[in-house]
Structure formats: structure tokens, C-alpha cells
Amino acid sequence: MRFVAFLLTKLLVYVLIIVIGVTVVFLVPRLLPSGPVEALLARIMAGGGFMEPAQVESMRVSLTQTFGLEGTLWEQYRGFIERVLLAGDFGPSLAMFPTSVNVLIRQALPWTLGLLLTATIIAWILGNVIGVIAGYRKDKAFSKVLELIAVAVYPIPYYILALILIILLAYLWPVFPMSVHVRSAPLSLRFLATVVHNSFLPALSIIIVGVGWWVISMKALSSSVCEEDFVQFARLRRVSDGTIMTRYVARNAILPQITALALMIGGVFNGALITEIIFDYPGLGSLTYMAVMQSDYNLLMGTVTLSIVAVATATLVIDLLYPFFDPRIRYR
Amino acid sequence: MLRAEDVKAYYETRRGPVRALDGVSIALHENEIVGIAGESGCGKSTLVKVLYDNVASPLRLVSGRAVLTRAADDTSVLAASGSIQDRWWRDISFVPQASMSVLNPVVRIGPHFRDSADAAFRQMGRGAFWARVREVLSGLRLGDDVLSAFPHQLSGGMRQRVVIALATFLDPRFILADEPTTALDVVTQKEILTLLVDVQRRMKNSLVIVSHDMAVHYQVTGRLAIMYAGKLVECGPTSGIFREPRHPYTRLLIGALPRIGQRGKLSGISGVPPSLLSPPAGCRFAGRCPNVMDRCRSEEPAVRSVGNRHVVACHLHEPVAEDDS
Ligand SMILES: Nc1ncnc2c1ncn2[C@@H]1O[C@H](COP(=O)(O)OP(=O)(O)OP(=O)(O)O)[C@@H](O)[C@H]1O
Ligand SMILES: [Mg+2]
């Protein structure tokens, strides 16, 4: 019973967050002095070609219709909510008219998810394992070396690190391509292998930076858990070292990291802007970048809405799962 | 037997060594309950740490050692400082003060038993092992269901009983309990102490109870050691000490106990103990002693016997004690 009440409140909050987020997404472009229609018209005209004022006017009308900018704000809002939230339809892309936003997102999503989910999870596991060892065996030389590496790598600006990787592994010693060649092909083992080969450098760059952060944070968390009475007492009652490190230190120190991972996975749906631009990667980041550069409001709304939903979902999932990780937390 | 031999153990601090134990010797025999008493900061926990061989920075064993001997004959050394750790939880175990926080919050109680007894588990086998755990739990009036509970689901008293079960289920010869009840309310304190004493009676091992509560010592201990500012000032059978305390400090401690029918104010002890960074020459209690003499301020009293396994370190009890002149 308590769980049902808990679930209902959480779901309510979830829906509320999404509706508020989407409303903001709806309002912001409408607050701008020049609407998307004017922006697009300006771009078409700047692209050369002269148009009669009457032609311009008819184009304006048809664009206004396609963008759902007719009627009062309230009518627009209702139409928008119906279309976006209930039907999941973001309309046509303005930059790649008439391809629909949904199609563009559907094409980019697997790339981003494949790359970022894999890289994020690998980095999380690797970083936390190293972090626990470094935190638990603070005084051992290898802990200090590991931490030193993490601390040295972590502050390197991401794009510099990415460029270094490209120079080393794509240029000086060309084992990986500089950017992604394959776009899409029928699914096959060969295709998958090419994708992995193509995505290796961007993945590596994300993992290196990610691992650095997880090592630093997990080391701090575990060394503070090491000072806890229950770890000291475990030592005094001769619990084996391995058990103390896993069941006592890691098991407690990992709790905040689980939340961080969930939020990060939610954030995966933003794409990785810099990574995707540097490696010319056909994911959501590149898509968002294009949407911004070309004032493609529909596309931008599509990607932003997707990431709002993703982060809200990640938060909901972690709220529901957390009591399994930490028995002290109950459904309330 | 478990004994400390002329132990000097200092905490290294930036302001210099804190002489928490300065030449303390004490012996714990089989099948007895020994109390350690004294004001806060006098070195009780430090003595327990040394006896348990849990000496880690900043604490340093400057000289002396702790020795654990075989049960049968007290001369053959089983383990000494540096190796007593190998006997942890088999021959010697420890009940900490902070029962609230010594259990792993994300692990059920059952695995706590399993974790600290790999060897015993293999040796006894699953069935016998858990039967033993259940037996010890029921001796502490805990049901089997605590095994599947998480620590936060238990009351403070239950948690402390779980910790006692943990410390006793492998039947160690020595159990060191450092203020095992201070975190609990008075009623629970009483209950826990009684259970602890019951366990000792049944298992016939030795129990060390550290407490600054003289009433606790009067009720449960057979022998009592009184510490003051890093020194052992008196040690002997509890009944003897309460009947006839020899050291002025002991007298004051006992005098500070409320008695039934007592009128007037309780006699507290005025003044504060000396700094352990730079303890005074002579007797460390001289500054607060009602019977202080000139030599107390310059000459350190040796520990000497006053008969009946009773020792005291005080110039009032010199062998030529009759210096009335
Ligand atoms: N980690 C430490 N670093 C420096 N000094 C310490 C440390 N631990 C204890 N001391 C000092 O050593 C002395 C003895 O401490 P100890 O903990 O043995 O006292 P105690 O008799 O157990 O007191 P209490 O009744 O308060 O537990 C005290 O003066 C204390 O200030
Ligand atoms: Mg203490």
C-alpha cells in the first residue's frame, strides 16, 4: 500500500516535470522577437533568388501552418501538447524539410546510445573499481600511481585529449579512422564491426575522461567509508581484506555513484556535443548542433524534449530502484 | 593469560607525545571478570588497544608488550604484540563502544557472522555453524529473525547484543569490552551487562569491562584496576577495593558514588588530571590528592603489593608504612 502511494506520487512528479519542461520548450522560441518563420524566410531569401512579396506572403502562410503557429497561444499550446506528448510527433525538420524530426532522431539515436551507453558504463565500472582499490589501499604505491594518473588526466580539456588521441591513433599510428565513415547499412556482423572500429576513438576519449572522474570521486568516497566504525570493527574481527573491500567499503561507497550513473545515463540522450563534432559522429549531439546552427526549431524541440524525458525517466528509475541498493531507504 | 608488561604507549601528536600509558602492567587470568576504571582520558581505551594489539598510528608502543599465553600453562607464549592479531576472534575478541555504527548498514546481520569466521565456517560446516550462531543469539535473548534483519531495523540494545554475539560465538578465551553500554539507556545498560556476565559464566572465558561507572564495577567485576593519567594506581579484588580502598584516588572515586540513605552532597573530585603531554614529576595525582606529602611531588610511587593480590602505587603504602614520626 505504501509502495502504491509512493509510486503514484513519483509518477505524478514525473509527468509534471515533463509537462513543465516541454512547456518551456514550447514557450522559449515564441518569446524571441523574430519567429522561426521569419528566420527561415530570411534564410531562403539570403540564399539568393528573388521572390515577389506575394510569393513571400504565401510562403509565410504555409510555413506558419506547417510549424503549427496558427491561432492563439493557447490553441497552439494545445496542438503542441497533443502532437508532441501524446502522439510523439515533432513535425518536419525545418533545415532538412520535409524530412520529419522523428526520422532524424531515429537515425541518430542508435549511434549516440551505442557510443555513449557503452562508454559511460565501461568508464563507470573501470573508474569505480580503480577508485575503491585506490581508496582502500591508500598507502600502497600502486594506489598513489593510479590516483596520480587520474588526477593528471582529468583536468586535460576534453577537446585537447580528443585531439591528442586523433593525432596519436589516427594520424601518427593510423589504426583507427579520424572520423566515422559508415553511415547506415543493413545490419550485419561486418557492419557492426565497422561501427565498433569507427567508434573506437570517440569511445576511448569519453572513457578516459570518465574514468578519471569516477576514480577521483570513488577514491574520496571509499577512503571516507574506510574511516567508518563498521569498517574498523570488521578489521578488528578479522574479516578478510577482500571481503572488507568489496562488501564493506565498495558496497557502501558505491551508493552515490549509482545515482550519478543514472543521471549520466539520462544525460546520454543529449548526445555528446563536442565528441560528436570532433569525430564527425552522426549522433544526437551533431543533430542538436545542426539544429542550433540552422535555427531548426522543430528539430531542437525534438532533441531537447527527448533529453528532458530521458533525464526525468532516469530520475524516476533511480528513485524506484534505490531501496534495493540501500536498505535504509524506504519507499515513502 | 593475557598480560601487559610494563607498557609505554604514546600518541604521537604535533605537540609531542601524549603519554597515554606510562609503564602499565596488568595480568588477566582465565575465567574472571576484570574491570578497568578511571576518569575520561586516563588511558583505559589505550590499554585495551594495546592488549588487543590494535596499535596503529598515531598510537605507538614505545616499550613493553602485550602477551597472550596458552591456557594450560601461563608461561608458554602463544602470541605477543605484533602477532596477537593472528588470534583475533579466535582467542581474543573485542566489543566496541559504538554499537550503533559498527555493523555494516547495507548488509544483513547473518553475513556479519559468516564474514568474521571463514575458518570456523569451513571447519564446522554450514549446519553446525548456524546452529552455533542461533544458540549464542538465543543465549542473548535474540530470535533467529535478527539474522535476516538489517542493522537499522534493530534497537540499540538489540544491536549491542548482536555485537556481543559476534564477539562471543567463536568462544574466545578473552573478551575485551570497551564501555560496552555507554551508548544505551540505563535500563538497557543493566540488561546488557547482565547478559554479558551470563555469557562469561557459561563460557568461562575472561571478560574485561572498561567503564568509568564504579557502580558497574561493583556489580559485575571480580577484580578491578584503577587508572589515573596513564598509570595504574590500584588493582585488586573488587570486594577488597570497595571494602578498603588504598589509593586516595580510589577512595574519592568510591566516595563519589551515591549511596542509599545518603544525605548531603556527593563528594566529587576537584581539579583536573594533569596533561599527558608533560606529566608532572612524582605522583601524577599529587595535585588533587587530599593526603599529599612533599615526596609525592618529586618521587614517583612504585606499584607494590598490599597483600591479597592487591597492589597500589602510593607513598602512603610504603613497606615501612609506619612513618608516623
Ligand atoms: N588519536 C589520538 N591522538 C592523540 N591523543 C589521543 C588519541 N586518542 C587518545 N588520545 C589521548 O590519550 C589519552 C588516553 O585516551 P583514552 O582514549 O585511552 O582514554 P579513556 O580512558 O579511554 O577515556 P574515555 O573514558 O573518555 O574513553 C587521552 O588524554 C587522549 O586525549
Ligand atoms: Mg575510552
Side-chain angles (χ1 to χ4, degrees):
Chain A
M1 207 46 235
R2 189 144 102 222
F3 177 71
V4 173
F6 171 83
L7 188 65
L8 286 180
T9 25
K10 286 293 171 197
L11 281 176
L12 193 73
V13 171
Y14 174 68
V15 171
L16 217 63
I17 288 176
I18 291 178
V19 168
I20 292 174
V22 169
T23 305
V24 171
V25 168
F26 165 83
L27 282 178
V28 165
R30 284 166 176 78
L31 296 177
L32 296 177
S34 80
V37 174
E38 298 308 321
L40 193 60
L41 282 177
R43 218 176 41 242
I44 291 171
M45 292 201 288
F50 173 78
M51 273 193 277
E52 299 279 333
Q55 258 183 315
V56 175
E57 192 48 40
S58 87
M59 187 136 189
R60 177 172 290 136
V61 170
S62 82
L63 282 175
T64 310
Q65 272 174 359
T66 6
F67 295 172
L69 294 174
E70 290 168 306
T72 62
L73 202 63
W74 174 245
E75 281 165 356
Q76 289 180 28
Y77 183 63
R78 262 187 33 209
F80 176 80
I81 292 282
E82 268 166 31
R83 216 160 33 81
V84 165
L85 279 191
L86 304 181
D89 175 12
F90 294 98
S93 156
L94 310 188
M96 315 251 293
F97 197 81
T99 317
S100 80
V101 168
N102 290 37
V103 167
L104 290 178
I105 289 182
R106 215 173 299 133
Q107 281 170 357
L109 196 57
W111 287 96
T112 287
L113 289 193
L115 173 69
L116 290 184
L117 275 185
T118 321
T120 307
I121 290 173
I122 291 180
W124 188 80
I125 295 175
L126 214 62
N128 282 312
V129 168
I130 297 176
V132 165
I133 297 176
Y136 182 63
R137 304 193 187 282
K138 275 196 281 300
D139 307 324
K140 292 270 165 32
F142 67 82
S143 304
K144 291 189 175 142
V145 173
L146 283 177
E147 198 199 2
L148 205 70
I149 295 176
V151 171
V153 167
Y154 180 67
I156 300 179
Y158 174 75
Y159 52 93
I160 301 218
L161 182 91
L163 288 179
I164 293 175
L165 284 181
I166 290 180
I167 291 171
L168 286 182
L169 294 176
Y171 185 70
L172 290 180
W173 187 41
V175 272
F176 296 107
M178 271 196 217
S179 65
V180 178
H181 304 316
V182 279
R183 290 289 143 159
S184 75
L187 200 63
S188 70
L189 223 57
R190 240 189 85 116
F191 175 64
L192 271 184
T194 330
V195 170
V196 170
H197 185 239
N198 277 255
S199 313
F200 195 88
L201 273 191
L204 188 64
S205 69
I206 296 172
I207 291 175
I208 290 180
V209 170
V211 165
W213 166 246
W214 294 121
V215 167
I216 292 171
S217 54
M218 189 58 172
K219 187 192 157 182
L221 286 165
S222 357
S223 33
S224 88
V225 171
C226 281
E227 301 303 316
E228 300 267 352
D229 288 338
F230 63 84
V231 175
Q232 299 298 326
F233 187 52
R235 197 178 64 81
L236 294 187
R237 61 196 174 86
R238 243 186 128 61
V239 176
S240 74
D241 242 21
T243 309
I244 294 187
M245 190 164 89
T246 53
R247 212 209 288 264
Y248 287 73
V249 178
R251 184 71 181 68
N252 281 280
I254 203 75
L255 296 175
Q257 302 289 69
I258 292 176
T259 310
L261 175 68
L263 292 179
M264 203 160 236
I265 286 182
V268 157
F269 288 80
N270 289 333
L273 196 62
I274 300 178
T275 316
E276 295 186 13
I277 292 168
I278 294 178
F279 292 95
D280 190 15
Y281 194 85
L284 286 173
S286 297
L287 208 58
T288 308
Y289 181 65
M290 184 185 85
V292 171
M293 295 313 281
Q294 313 211 4
S295 318
D296 188 339
Y297 293 93
N298 276 0
L299 184 53
L300 198 57
M301 273 183 216
T303 53
V304 172
T305 307
L306 178 67
S307 74
I308 290 173
V309 173
V311 172
T313 309
T315 317
L316 176 70
V317 167
I318 199 64
D319 274 347
L320 294 180
L321 289 187
Y322 205 70
F324 288 102
F325 301 115
D326 188 344
R328 288 164 296 185
I329 309 292
R330 282 292 181 77
Y331 295 116
R332 263 190 295 251
Chain B
M1 183 161 51
L2 175 65
R3 60 175 186 263
E5 297 175 346
D6 195 23
V7 166
K8 289 194 163 95
Y10 299 167
Y11 290 97
E12 302 295 350
T13 68
R14 254 180 299 141
R15 293 162 56 215
V18 175
R19 299 158 179 245
L21 290 180
D22 224 353
V24 171
S25 300
I26 188 171
L28 316 167
H29 306 281
E30 311 292 316
N31 193 8
E32 68 168 348
I33 301 183
V34 178
I36 299 179
E39 278 164 294
S40 182
C42 67
K44 303 183 296 294
S45 296
T46 312
L47 178 57
V48 169
K49 280 185 199 164
V50 169
L51 285 170
Y52 197 62
D53 194 12
N54 177 26
V55 177
S57 172
L59 183 60
R60 193 167 66 87
L61 194 58
V62 177
S63 69
R65 60 175 189 165
V67 178
L68 183 64
T69 62
R70 278 186 202 288
D73 87 79
D74 277 344
T75 52
S76 80
V77 171
L78 185 61
S81 288
S83 65
I84 291 181
Q85 297 192 357
D86 296 337
R87 317 303 308 173
W88 277 359
W89 236 246
R90 278 182 290 163
D91 287 300
I92 180 166
S93 69
F94 176 72
V95 178
Q97 173 175 344
S99 64
M100 297 300 159
S101 52
V102 297
L103 298 172
N104 188 345
V106 297
V107 168
R108 293 174 201 277
I109 299 299
H112 282 83
F113 286 89
R114 174 73 185 74
D115 284 348
S116 42
D118 267 338
F121 187 82
R122 255 178 277 117
Q123 203 182 331
M124 296 165 80
R126 172 188 290 269
F129 181 86
W130 291 113
R132 170 69 186 149
V133 170
R134 292 206 169 83
E135 178 193 331
V136 171
L137 285 176
S138 78
L140 288 159
R141 283 194 257 123
L142 288 170
D144 294 358
D145 46 332
V146 299
L147 288 174
S148 56
F150 285 103
H152 72 273
Q153 294 169 327
L154 306 178
S155 70
M158 287 166 91
R159 256 182 275 184
Q160 186 63 306
R161 278 182 279 162
V162 165
V163 171
I164 292 172
L166 270 172
T168 54
F169 83 110
L170 292 178
D171 200 5
R173 285 165 49 220
F174 292 91
I175 302 164
L176 310 182
D178 189 358
E179 316 232 20
T181 60
T182 26
L184 305 167
D185 65 82
V186 184
V187 179
T188 319
Q189 279 189 9
K190 193 84 191 233
E191 183 190 345
I192 299 284
L193 275 175
T194 317
L195 286 169
L196 201 54
V197 172
D198 283 351
V199 169
Q200 190 276 333
R201 293 231 171 88
R202 241 177 294 133
M203 299 189 175
K204 306 214 179 309
N205 38 27
S206 292
L207 177 61
V208 175
I209 295 182
V210 173
S211 173
H212 44 241
D213 185 347
M214 291 300 279
V216 165
H217 292 300
Y218 181 73
Q219 282 157 9
V220 303
T221 63
R223 219 146 55 81
L224 184 57
I226 315 279
M227 294 185 61
Y228 185 82
K231 296 271 187 189
L232 191 77
V233 294
E234 184 163 4
C235 181
T238 306
S239 54
I241 287 187
F242 274 86
R243 199 178 330 107
E244 194 187 347
R246 304 300 180 103
H247 199 283
Y249 178 60
T250 316
R251 269 183 233 149
L252 288 171
L253 276 183
I254 293 173
L257 275 179
R259 286 202 188 80
I260 295 172
Q262 178 182 0
R263 279 153 209 259
K265 272 200 2 219
L266 291 175
S267 50
I269 308 175
S270 59
V272 289
S275 157
L276 295 177
L277 279 165
S278 50
C283 175
R284 292 188 179 180
F285 188 56
R288 299 164 83 186
C289 184
N291 311 80
V292 65
M293 304 175 290
D294 278 348
R295 62 190 293 211
C296 297
R297 302 196 193 275
S298 54
E299 196 181 320
E300 198 180 322
V303 176
R304 46 186 100 246
S305 171
V306 289
N308 191 24
R309 289 161 60 227
H310 193 152
V311 296
V312 66
C314 177
H315 289 308
L316 291 173
H317 301 281
E318 299 292 274
V320 282
E322 278 68 55
D323 70 353
D324 299 9
S325 55

